[in-house]
């Protein structure tokens, strides 16, 4: 229960001043992050660990404002996705950063193909971030079983990288547009794919 409490307070952006939120602002965010942990566990299957996802999402919630100002290296994202998902065999010593980036791209591909389902809930920020984290979790386990993960990489770090990348993609896709998350991500996907 303490873990959940910590996760909720982290996700609600307790580092910011409460007055900056419209009434009920942080509350919606809490629900969104809780949904992300559920989506991640659901998509990760045996590779998933609900506690791992919840803890990382708590940390991700605290970094959200910082990530909003970071750019995405689109070329690198496309390159890593090809490396891990399109059979380019050059993937010895897989590292957490590139696995996270590739997993976020794979999530974008699945998300825009409707593979996360097509309800309002499954086209939300939480569904996209959760899907990316699940993809990273599965990718890490696959590479680890092949002995292809670099020594200084951890599953937690790969999953966190995927979550950060997915959140940056989502926020970039929202940049000034009034479209729903799914349609804006579609526009973003067309740049990548």
């Amino acid at each position: 229960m303490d873990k959940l409490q910590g996760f909720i307070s982290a996700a609600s952006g307790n580092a910011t001043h409460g007055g900056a939120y419209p009434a009920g602002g942080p509350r919606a965010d809490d629900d969104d992050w809780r949904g992300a942990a559920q989506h991640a566990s659901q998509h990760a299957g045996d590779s998933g660990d609900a506690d791992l996802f919840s803890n990382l999402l708590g940390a991700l919630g605290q970094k959200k404002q910082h990530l909003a100002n970071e750019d995405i290296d689109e070329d690198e994202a496309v390159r890593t996705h090809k490396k891990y998902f399109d059979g380019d065999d050059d993937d010895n010593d897989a590292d957490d950063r590139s696995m996270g980036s590739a997993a976020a791209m794979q999530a974008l591909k699945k998300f825009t193909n409707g593979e996360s389902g097509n309800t309002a809930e499954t086209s939300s920020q939480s569904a996209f971030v959760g899907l990316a984290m699940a993809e990273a979790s599965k990718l890490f386990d696959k590479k680890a079983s092949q002995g292809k993960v670099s020594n200084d990489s951890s599953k937690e770090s790969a999953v966190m990288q995927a979550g950060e990348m997915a959140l940056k993609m989502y926020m970039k896709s929202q940049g000034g547009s009034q479209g729903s998350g799914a349609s804006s991500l579609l526009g973003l996907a067309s740049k990548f794919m």
Side-chain angles (χ1 to χ4, degrees):
M1 198 61 199
D2 284 344
K3 255 185 193 172
L4 185 62
Q5 231 21 68
F7 164 61
I8 290 170
S9 63
S12 66
N14 54 5
T16 60
H17 302 293
Y21 285 113
R27 184 73 239 151
D29 223 24
D30 290 353
D31 293 339
D32 217 27
W33 289 124
R34 251 202 304 273
Q38 287 167 351
H39 281 290
S41 299
Q42 187 185 328
H43 287 289
D46 293 343
S47 292
D49 175 342
D51 284 343
L52 168 72
F53 293 134
S54 287
N55 290 335
L56 293 177
L57 282 160
L60 192 60
Q62 290 179 316
K63 295 175 82 170
K64 189 173 181 178
Q65 289 312 113
H66 172 69
L67 291 170
N69 300 321
E70 285 189 12
D71 277 334
I72 296 172
D73 185 339
E74 297 178 8
D75 294 337
E76 173 69 6
V78 171
R79 191 185 64 73
T80 59
H81 183 265
K82 278 190 175 146
K83 173 176 168 175
Y84 292 113
F85 288 97
D86 290 345
D88 288 5
D89 267 334
D90 174 30
D91 62 357
N92 285 332
D93 275 352
D95 66 278
D96 38 30
R97 178 170 282 280
S98 64
M99 281 188 283
S101 177
M105 288 296 289
Q106 182 68 2
L108 181 62
K109 195 172 179 180
K110 285 186 166 186
F111 196 77
T112 52
N113 287 340
E115 289 179 47
S116 63
N118 268 329
T119 65
E121 188 183 300
T122 54
S123 59
S124 66
Q125 170 184 287
S126 64
F128 180 54
V129 171
L131 186 58
M133 294 175 106
E135 288 297 329
S137 187
K138 290 192 288 189
L139 180 61
F140 186 91
D141 284 356
K142 180 182 171 189
K143 292 300 167 195
S145 73
Q146 296 168 348
K148 291 185 172 180
V149 173
S150 65
N151 291 334
D152 56 353
S153 293
S154 71
K155 185 172 186 173
E156 289 79 3
S157 183
V159 172
M160 186 66 175
Q161 290 286 342
E164 288 182 10
M165 180 69 151
L167 190 54
K168 284 195 282 189
M169 285 176 172
Y170 194 91
M171 289 189 289
K172 201 179 240 324
S173 76
Q174 299 291 291
S177 76
Q178 294 304 308
S180 73
S183 60
S184 338
L185 278 170
L186 215 50
L188 187 63
S190 66
K191 292 182 195 170
F192 289 133
M193 303 302 180

